[in-house]
Amino acid sequence: MAAFQISGSVVTGKVPSFDGLRLSKPTFAAPSSVGASGLGVVQRSYRGFVVKAATVVSPKYTSVKPLGDRILIKIKTSEEKTQGGILLPTTAQTKPQAGEVVAIGEGKTIGKAKVDISLETGKQVVYSKYTGTELEFNGANHLILKEDDVVGVLETEDVKDLKPLNDRVLIKVAEAEQKTAGGLLLTEATKEKPSIGTVVAVGPGTLDEEGNRKPLTIAAGSTVLYSKYAGNEFKSADGSDYIALRASDVMAVLS
C-alpha cells in the first residue's frame, strides 16, 4: 500500500464549467493512502507542494461499476483563470468539488429493506471535501465515493440553487459586521467569520432502521446558528457566501 501526502489536485477532462460554483477559498486535502493490485499509481509534484496521486485504471478496462451505495463521479476541471481573466498557476487553482454522476451502485440494505441510490447518472453534484478515491479512467479524473458523501444536486450552475441530499441543509451565510460596537470600521482581515445564516433548502432527511426517511426538523427560511468550521463553503455567482452542512451541525434556531 503506497501512501502519499495530499495538498492539492490536478484534473483533466471536459464537463460543464459551473461558472456559478466557486470555492470561497483554496482547499488542501488531508493525508490519504491509495493503491490497488494491478493498478498503477501516479504521483505529480510541483514546487512547494505534492499533488494527490490518483489510481490509474488500465485502458484494457472499459468500465467501472461501483458496488453497494457507491457512485462514480467525473470531476469537473479546475478553474484555470480568475474572473478577471488572469491565468492561475497550478498551485493556485482551487480543488473542484463538483462533477457528473456517470455510474451508480445497486444500493444498500438497511434491516430487511433494500434502499436504492437516490441519484441518477447525468446529475451534476457537489461532494464533500477530502472524500472518496480518485481514479484516472478513460483519460479523465473520476472519484468513487459513497452516496452519503454527496452534499447535493446542482439544479443550475449556481450553488444557491443546490438541492441538498439526506440530512444536509444549505445556508446563506449572514454578512460579517462592518463595524465594532463602538463604531470603528473593520477591515476584511479583522472581520469575524459569521456562524449565523438563513436556511435556503433542506434535504429529505436520514434513513431509519427500516429504511424510511425521517424528515429534518429544520425548515427553509429559518435563521440558525451553526458550528464554525463545519460543512463545505461556497461563493455563488452574485458573490454571496453559502455553506452546506449536516443538520446535526446546526446548534440553534434564532427568532
Side-chain angles (χ1 to χ4, degrees):
M1 183 72 72
F4 300 93
Q5 180 68 31
I6 303 169
S7 62
S9 181
V10 174
V11 295
T12 59
K14 295 182 179 180
V15 291
S17 63
F18 298 95
D19 291 335
L21 176 64
R22 293 182 294 278
L23 293 179
S24 61
K25 56 185 177 181
T27 59
F28 299 90
S32 179
S33 297
V34 295
S37 178
L39 299 178
V41 178
V42 174
Q43 183 179 14
R44 302 182 181 84
S45 296
Y46 294 86
R47 184 177 181 181
F49 79 117
V50 179
V51 178
K52 183 176 181 179
T55 301
V56 179
V57 179
S58 171
K60 70 180 181 180
Y61 299 108
T62 58
S63 67
V64 175
K65 172 62 178 175
L67 298 179
D69 59 341
R70 292 177 176 84
I71 65 173
L72 181 67
I73 293 175
K74 185 177 181 181
I75 303 173
K76 84 178 187 74
T77 57
S78 296
E79 294 184 41
E80 295 182 352
K81 291 185 178 181
T82 65
Q83 284 182 293
I86 300 173
L87 191 65
L88 295 173
T90 304
T91 52
Q93 291 179 20
T94 58
K95 178 184 171 77
Q97 284 179 240
E100 178 185 353
V101 177
V102 294
I104 62 174
E106 67 274 14
K108 60 183 177 181
T109 300
I110 299 180
K112 296 182 179 180
K114 176 68 166 52
V115 181
D116 294 329
I117 289 178
S118 60
L119 293 166
E120 301 175 354
T121 58
K123 290 291 186 181
Q124 310 297 332
V125 297
V126 174
Y127 50 84
S128 298
K129 300 176 187 176
Y130 322 133
T131 190
T133 299
E134 287 192 7
L135 306 174
E136 285 190 9
F137 175 63
N138 280 348
N141 272 50
H142 292 72
L143 188 70
I144 188 165
L145 71 169
K146 287 182 175 291
E147 181 189 18
D148 189 54
D149 290 323
V150 176
V151 175
V153 176
L154 281 170
E155 299 289 348
T156 69
E157 293 186 354
D158 199 334
V159 73
K160 69 181 180 62
D161 299 315
L162 180 74
K163 179 182 178 183
L165 294 182
N166 300 317
D167 62 337
R168 288 182 171 83
V169 297
L170 179 66
I171 295 172
K172 183 176 182 181
V173 179
E175 293 185 5
E177 292 291 336
Q178 302 293 325
K179 293 182 179 181
T180 66
L184 296 177
L185 284 174
L186 296 174
T187 64
E188 290 295 329
T190 57
K191 290 178 185 176
E192 184 178 354
K193 175 184 175 183
S195 54
I196 295 175
T198 302
V199 177
V200 176
V202 301
T206 55
L207 295 169
D208 61 21
E209 296 179 354
E210 297 179 353
N212 300 314
R213 289 285 177 187
K214 184 178 179 181
L216 301 179
T217 58
I218 302 170
S222 301
T223 300
V224 296
L225 177 70
Y226 56 88
S227 298
K228 287 187 177 182
Y229 315 117
N232 297 271
E233 298 175 337
F234 301 98
K235 190 175 290 292
S236 68
D238 64 3
S240 299
D241 292 318
Y242 288 81
I243 185 169
L245 42 71
R246 294 188 184 276
S248 57
D249 289 320
V250 176
M251 297 184 292
V253 176
L254 306 178
S255 60

